[in-house]
Amino acid sequence: MTAIPQGRTRRAVTVAAMCALAVTGTGLTGCGSGDPDAGTNGVGKLSAAAIQAKAKQAAEKAPAVRLSGTVVSGGTTYTLDMRLKSGGGTGSVTSKGAGFHLLRVGEHLFLKADAEFWAHEEGKDGGKADTAAADKLEGMYVKVPTGDPAYKRFSGFTDKNVLLDGLLGLHGVLAKDGHHEQSGVRTIRITGDKGSGGTLDVSLQGTPYPVVLGRAGNAGTLRLSDWGKDFPLAEPPKKDTVDYGQQLPSS
């Protein structure tokens, strides 16, 4: 038997160890395998329709998620950073330069904003803005009545099921669009009508959660993260709450 030089043996062991680390430690493709799905959860080998179904199923089962990015609805662009779970949600929304905080616990929806936001609400019908009232509302959690138009307009931003059901569906013919990477996470991308119907990156690592959504018609881009990570959700203290009863001012 021919002896193998010690230096060559060490190099072989080192290369093998690096390949093993690449697969098990970081989720990268195995050395020289040529298989982009090596070391993944395997969903990249499924059809586009099956990938979408897996992603929706994973999203529905997850108890919580963080959703951030932009949504264009009715000609208005909303910038969101929301944390959502079955009992409600909390986070920030910015639209037309005005930012506000939303909090929903069960059926109770609260909106907190600065005086400028409330002054705009008070004066949008053409009347003089009631700056005194707006100053009193600044920094307070205003309880939004369920019958107020603002409740319907904003509560959807705090509802995990409603928001994801409306966002995750791609339009048109589904197809796969290759392997990608989003913030260090390996993904498989699917598209609707070659991208005009939206794009969805689904994680190839662990549970096949949706990672990035490009909405159809350039209607915004959203990042979905912190899947399954719980967060505190409770109604604000009474001293920090204003309850208008049946309708918000000038809403």
Side-chain angles (χ1 to χ4, degrees):
M1 181 175 66
T2 303
I4 300 175
Q6 187 175 3
R8 186 183 302 172
T9 302
R10 281 199 296 267
R11 286 195 297 272
V13 170
T14 300
V15 171
M18 290 177 65
C19 286
L21 177 63
V23 174
T24 62
T26 64
L28 298 176
T29 304
C31 294
S33 70
D35 181 2
D37 292 301
T40 71
N41 55 24
V43 298
K45 297 181 179 181
L46 303 178
S47 67
I51 294 171
Q52 182 183 50
K54 286 278 189 182
K56 283 188 173 183
Q57 184 180 50
E60 289 171 358
K61 289 184 176 180
V65 64
R66 180 178 181 180
L67 190 151
S68 57
T70 58
V71 172
V72 180
S73 178
T76 300
T77 299
Y78 297 92
T79 301
L80 312 178
D81 189 356
M82 300 295 301
R83 302 199 69 172
L84 312 169
K85 58 183 178 180
S86 60
T90 183
S92 63
V93 179
T94 302
S95 175
K96 298 180 180 178
F100 51 93
H101 184 88
L102 288 175
L103 168 65
R104 184 177 62 83
V105 182
E107 293 299 315
H108 296 165
L109 176 67
F110 302 88
L111 190 155
K112 183 172 72 170
D114 59 19
E116 184 178 356
F117 172 88
W118 290 114
H120 173 75
E121 289 295 299
E122 292 275 351
K124 68 181 181 180
D125 60 355
K128 184 178 180 180
D130 188 345
T131 56
D135 287 342
K136 291 180 180 179
L137 294 178
E138 182 169 25
M140 300 292 287
Y141 283 93
V142 177
K143 189 173 183 180
V144 183
T146 56
D148 193 279
Y151 189 94
K152 182 178 181 180
R153 186 172 14 144
F154 296 132
S155 62
F157 288 132
T158 65
D159 192 312
K160 173 179 175 287
N161 292 333
V162 169
L163 200 56
L164 293 185
D165 285 347
L167 294 175
L168 293 182
L170 302 181
H171 303 289
V173 179
L174 298 181
K176 293 161 67 172
D177 188 31
H179 293 69
H180 299 265
E181 184 175 304
Q182 299 287 352
S183 300
V185 176
R186 295 170 67 190
T187 66
I188 181 73
R189 182 174 298 167
I190 59 175
T191 65
D193 280 348
K194 299 181 179 180
S196 62
T199 65
L200 181 65
D201 278 53
V202 178
S203 176
L204 288 173
Q205 300 170 207
T207 305
Y209 289 124
V211 177
V212 175
L213 170 72
R215 301 188 69 210
N218 295 317
T221 301
L222 291 166
R223 182 170 297 277
L224 302 101
S225 60
D226 292 349
W227 287 102
K229 293 185 178 180
D230 197 15
F231 58 93
L233 191 65
E235 293 192 16
K238 294 293 185 183
K239 64 181 181 65
D240 298 329
T241 304
V242 175
D243 188 346
Y244 270 95
Q246 297 301 309
Q247 189 176 24
L248 292 183
S250 302
S251 63

